[in-house]
Amino acid sequence: AIFYADKLVSLSHFEAEDIYTLAECYFKNREYRRVLHLLKKHGDIVAGDERLKLLAAQSLLECKDWDECLRYLEDNTSAEASSQGDDGKMASVFALLRGKVYEVTENQENALVWYERAVQLDPYCHEALDRLVGNHLLTSDREAALLRGLRLHKEDEWLRHLYAAKLAAARSSAVDPLL
């Protein structure tokens, strides 16, 4: 797949879609440094494509280059939902990645902030909520504020109850039942 994607990039004169295809092939083949090299080589194209920025950040994360990943996310992504009609999904993914970097570098407070922001931007980002719950990062007040602040569609209100149940279960499991 990499061979054909590379030929496609060459023949199409470096179209963004074809560069994304090649970068994704490299990424799925766990060739993260090649992804980074390709995207650095075509920086002008990467600047206008959120998917390529995401692949670059994910590659830095996979290379365990935490500081560079954080720097890249700060310089190239927005913490707010864009006006491109993605409903905050891409901004949520970038916030989730920042939270992961902070979590790995043991900066729990910043991880909490970015995981919360990911859930606020996209209430369907269950991975951010799972990390908040799994790491017991939320206080009771922050849990309540997070649940109240979820912007769910009317037909998805059941999700608020599911999140509340997950948070309650995590809270009860954190308490020692023998005390």
Side-chain angles (χ1 to χ4, degrees):
I2 291 172
F3 174 79
Y4 290 113
D6 187 39
K7 295 305 167 207
L8 184 63
V9 167
S10 297
L11 292 173
S12 71
H13 302 293
F14 311 109
E15 291 290 324
E17 191 65 36
D18 299 330
I19 290 173
Y20 176 76
T21 301
L22 179 57
E24 191 175 33
C25 287
Y26 285 152
F27 188 84
K28 289 184 178 180
N29 205 37
R30 300 185 191 283
E31 297 179 36
Y32 308 117
R33 293 287 175 198
R34 287 183 83 180
V35 172
L36 295 170
H37 177 72
L38 174 71
L39 297 181
K40 184 179 264 187
K41 183 177 170 184
H42 301 288
D44 55 326
I45 296 171
V46 173
D49 193 328
E50 296 292 308
R51 298 172 310 158
L52 291 171
K53 290 178 186 179
L54 178 61
L55 272 176
Q58 287 174 324
S59 295
L60 287 166
L61 194 67
E62 291 295 332
C63 289
K64 297 178 177 30
D65 197 349
W66 316 124
D67 294 332
E68 186 64 29
C69 183
L70 195 55
R71 195 173 310 111
Y72 182 84
L73 288 167
E74 288 170 354
D75 294 344
N76 295 291
T77 63
S78 170
E80 304 301 322
S82 69
S83 59
Q84 296 172 349
D86 63 4
D87 299 326
K89 286 181 183 22
M90 193 59 84
S92 174
V93 172
F94 287 129
L96 175 67
L97 287 177
R98 282 190 197 191
K100 285 180 179 182
V101 171
Y102 281 123
E103 183 180 345
V104 168
T105 57
E106 298 181 6
N107 187 336
Q108 298 300 322
E109 188 59 36
N110 279 338
L112 164 71
V113 168
W114 286 102
Y115 288 147
E116 279 184 322
R117 185 160 301 149
V119 173
Q120 290 165 354
L121 289 167
D122 180 14
Y124 304 100
C125 183
H126 65 83
E127 185 177 354
L129 185 81
D130 287 344
R131 288 182 176 272
L132 286 169
V133 170
N135 296 333
H136 305 288
L137 295 174
L138 293 173
T139 63
S140 296
D141 294 337
R142 282 185 108 154
E143 284 178 13
L146 182 68
L147 288 173
R148 278 193 311 273
L150 291 177
R151 295 173 304 181
L152 297 168
H153 297 110
K154 187 171 178 75
E155 64 272 7
D156 294 330
E157 274 300 314
W158 61 272
L159 199 56
R160 188 181 315 273
H161 299 291
L162 177 67
Y163 285 176
K166 275 186 167 186
L167 291 168
R171 198 176 327 111
S172 68
S173 70
V175 176
D176 188 356
L178 299 175
L179 293 178

